[in-house]
Amino acid sequence: MKDKLFNEFNAVTSKQWKQQIQYELKGADYNETLVWESPEGIKVKPFYHIDETITPYNVPSTTHGFKIVQNIFVHDVEKSIKRALETLNRGAESIRFTIENEALDVEKLLSSIPSDVQVYIKPVFLKSEFVKKIQTVRPDTIIELDPIGQLVKDGNWFSNLESDFSILNQLNTTISVNTETYQNAGANIVQQLAYTLAHVNEYFNRVQNINSPITINAAVGSNYFFEIAKLRALRLLFNILAKEYNHNIDCHIIATPTKRNKTLYDYNVNMLRTTTECMSAVLGGADAVANLAYDAIYHKDNEFGDRISRNQLLVLKNESYFDKVNNPSDGAYYIEELTQQLADKALALFKDIENNGGLITQLIEGTIQRKIKESADKEQELFDSGKEILLGTNKYPNKNDQMKNDLELYPFVKQNPRKTLITPIIEKRLAEKMEQERLQNEI
């Protein structure tokens, strides 16, 4: 279409909009009344206009729709195969197996899945023999190996730094970067992006011949537009960094809703939260989305929870057509500007991390943990004071809601005193303290 719509209307400049807004405010200060500042230090304006929009970064295009990923924790091979095939028949498009037993018959597990289905394997150990079995049976399997992520979450390497990276270099396998821990522990968006970039940079520096896409696992929070911009900035920053290492393969982003804002009480609200978070993930350009079941924090895996979480993504894909447009956020002034500001701030923080020894050094020194705790404490204060709201928990709670007898999993931070190389980064939900008090007061 060559002609623009509504040519008969005169264009309205940003200055004219501001003048009208100032008039409507009846003397109230524009900046104090309508401009708010995010935890990342970004001042959010009430409107964005082409007059004031800076030239945006060119975010790499995603040219395919997102895949619906089903997570399966493998205890029994036969049962896991049956469950995987059932979920594929019910709408799942990719399967991610989490495996904790290296003696498990992985050949049988993989050979049972149709060849056109993308399979992810997430072992909670690092063994070269196990990885070689996978590569022999199914070479296209994405194996999520992330020794740094293990260090971040557990406080220790699988074995030690030299041994872990020696295995990665010998295997010439896929590299995974788990950034969910940063978000679930309370890092703000700029920190998440910078730590992810530093995390990736450690692999570029320490692993030779990375010839396949690096998989990035990202947790998506509840700040809808900021989270769209976060994933856009993540892909942008990755490609800027990768170019410096002559790595010309785009990253593969798997997005999962955050656990940080999920609640034990009024748990059905979790479905609303995960829906908007999955929407942010898709609009932000995630390659795959693994939804979080509404009851994941307190129930073991179950058919109903899996079905609901999968159907949420099926609705977004098949009824809302979220997979039909490439880079749907392009041209949205607000998101474009958020993307640029988040990328600029994250790049500055990343450079500071590198100037001070890199991610691993700063983890050993405790700097990263301290910065995340500071951000988490600020967010917790907002929640405790009621300024950050979780409906059904610190706003309009149902006093008759009883959960004590419905807990199949322990939904709070687990204490495991032991010797570690670094202080692990602990994931913690905002509502934990309030929920523990309510559980104690249940009749």
Side-chain angles (χ1 to χ4, degrees):
M1 183 182 292
K2 295 182 179 179
D3 295 331
K4 294 183 179 180
L5 296 176
F6 308 120
N7 281 332
E8 62 270 29
F9 294 103
N10 295 324
V12 180
T13 66
S14 59
K15 183 178 180 180
Q16 289 173 303
W17 275 113
K18 286 182 179 178
Q19 288 174 341
Q20 182 62 35
I21 292 171
Q22 193 65 62
Y23 172 78
E24 297 292 343
L25 286 174
K26 302 184 186 303
D29 185 85
Y30 174 88
N31 289 318
E32 290 184 4
T33 306
L34 297 179
V35 177
W36 60 275
E37 185 170 326
S38 77
E40 295 78 21
I42 293 176
K43 294 186 182 299
V44 181
K45 299 179 289 187
F47 75 96
Y48 289 78
H49 194 283
I50 193 171
D51 288 356
E52 298 179 333
T53 302
I54 49 182
T55 303
Y57 283 122
N58 182 23
V59 178
S61 176
T62 51
T63 57
H64 49 78
F66 71 98
K67 295 293 185 182
I68 299 172
V69 179
Q70 178 66 55
N71 288 320
I72 297 177
F73 195 96
V74 182
H75 291 288
D76 180 280
V77 172
E78 295 291 347
K79 290 181 179 178
S80 296
I81 292 172
K82 180 181 178 181
R83 184 179 169 200
L85 296 177
E86 286 178 349
T87 57
L88 289 170
N89 287 331
R90 295 184 179 189
E93 298 166 320
S94 301
I95 301 293
R96 177 160 60 180
F97 294 114
T98 299
I99 299 174
E100 63 179 4
N101 180 9
E102 61 185 277
L104 179 141
D105 190 350
V106 72
E107 295 98 329
K108 183 176 183 179
L109 182 70
L110 291 174
S111 60
S112 301
I113 307 301
S115 59
D116 61 340
V117 174
Q118 179 62 66
V119 176
Y120 305 84
I121 295 287
K122 187 176 183 179
V124 297
F125 50 84
L126 181 58
K127 298 291 183 181
S128 57
E129 296 79 8
F130 185 82
V131 173
K132 288 175 182 177
K133 285 182 185 178
I134 297 172
Q135 293 173 326
T136 300
V137 176
R138 193 165 181 143
D140 64 339
T141 302
I142 295 178
I143 310 170
E144 298 185 35
L145 300 176
D146 184 12
I148 299 174
Q150 165 73 9
L151 176 69
V152 166
K153 192 168 184 175
D154 183 73
N156 288 313
W157 298 98
F158 288 111
S159 178
N160 56 63
L161 186 152
E162 292 76 16
S163 176
D164 286 2
F165 279 99
S166 175
I167 291 175
L168 288 186
N169 279 292
Q170 291 170 16
L171 290 172
N172 191 25
T173 185
T174 53
I175 299 295
S176 176
V177 175
N178 179 17
T179 72
E180 295 176 19
T181 305
Y182 305 131
Q183 204 283 341
N184 285 323
N188 66 42
I189 290 177
V190 168
Q191 289 173 329
Q192 293 169 47
L193 289 169
Y195 300 158
T196 300
L197 208 58
H199 199 139
V200 171
N201 196 49
E202 292 285 356
Y203 285 124
F204 276 135
N205 277 301
R206 297 174 185 271
V207 180
Q208 300 173 359
N209 302 320
I210 301 177
N211 299 317
S212 56
I214 292 178
T215 299
I216 300 178
N217 291 291
V220 180
S222 59
N223 194 338
Y224 186 71
F225 294 108
F226 271 69
E227 292 294 333
I228 295 173
K230 179 180 83 175
L231 293 190
R232 287 164 51 83
L234 173 57
R235 191 177 296 278
L236 169 70
L237 291 169
F238 174 87
N239 281 276
I240 290 174
L241 177 64
K243 187 178 180 181
E244 297 299 315
Y245 293 91
N246 297 315
H247 180 84
N248 300 313
I249 308 172
D250 197 6
C251 59
H252 182 81
I253 299 175
I254 306 177
T256 302
T258 181
K259 293 177 182 176
R260 187 156 172 79
N261 64 356
K262 302 306 179 288
T263 56
L264 181 60
Y265 290 92
D266 211 348
Y267 49 76
N268 287 321
V269 181
N270 290 333
M271 281 188 269
L272 304 178
R273 298 177 182 127
T274 55
T275 297
T276 60
E277 288 156 7
C278 287
M279 289 168 66
S280 291
V282 176
L283 295 177
D287 299 288
V289 182
N291 196 9
L292 188 71
Y294 74 98
D295 58 350
I297 63 172
Y298 68 93
H299 270 169
K300 296 177 182 177
D301 288 348
N302 60 88
E303 195 277 335
F304 183 76
D306 282 349
R307 179 164 61 86
I308 294 297
S309 64
R310 190 168 55 250
N311 286 350
Q312 289 172 264
L313 293 172
L314 287 169
V315 168
L316 293 181
K317 174 169 280 197
N318 298 324
E319 296 186 27
S320 302
Y321 307 110
F322 269 44
D323 64 331
K324 300 303 182 185
V325 180
N326 295 331
N327 283 18
S329 302
D330 280 356
Y333 304 141
Y334 179 32
I335 295 175
E336 293 276 17
E337 188 157 329
L338 285 181
T339 302
Q340 177 139 346
Q341 290 194 55
L342 289 173
D344 287 343
K345 287 177 176 290
L347 195 58
L349 179 55
F350 163 71
K351 291 177 179 178
D352 180 72
I353 293 170
E354 294 305 308
N355 287 335
N356 287 281
L359 182 74
I360 293 175
T361 296
Q362 293 220 323
L363 284 168
I364 293 172
E365 293 173 350
T367 304
I368 303 295
Q369 295 91 321
R370 176 171 53 81
K371 294 293 185 181
I372 291 178
K373 186 177 184 304
E374 289 172 359
S375 294
D377 288 346
K378 289 178 182 177
E379 187 180 20
Q380 190 69 55
E381 288 175 11
L382 292 174
F383 173 79
D384 293 343
S385 65
K387 293 179 181 178
E388 180 162 336
I389 295 170
L390 293 180
L391 287 176
T393 300
N394 68 340
K395 186 79 169 180
Y396 307 125
N398 178 3
K399 300 297 183 181
N400 297 319
D401 206 357
Q402 302 282 311
M403 291 300 299
K404 185 180 292 185
N405 297 323
D406 202 23
L407 303 184
E408 296 176 355
L409 301 173
Y410 186 71
F412 308 116
V413 172
K414 299 178 180 66
Q415 301 296 326
N416 182 23
R418 59 202 164 84
K419 185 177 180 180
T420 58
L421 177 64
I422 68 166
T423 301
I425 296 175
I426 306 297
E427 299 180 356
K428 185 179 180 181
R429 295 181 298 108
L430 286 169
E432 289 197 15
K433 181 180 178 182
M434 186 174 290
E435 290 172 349
Q436 287 174 314
E437 292 173 353
R438 287 185 65 176
L439 283 172
Q440 291 175 357
N441 294 326
E442 282 188 18
I443 298 174

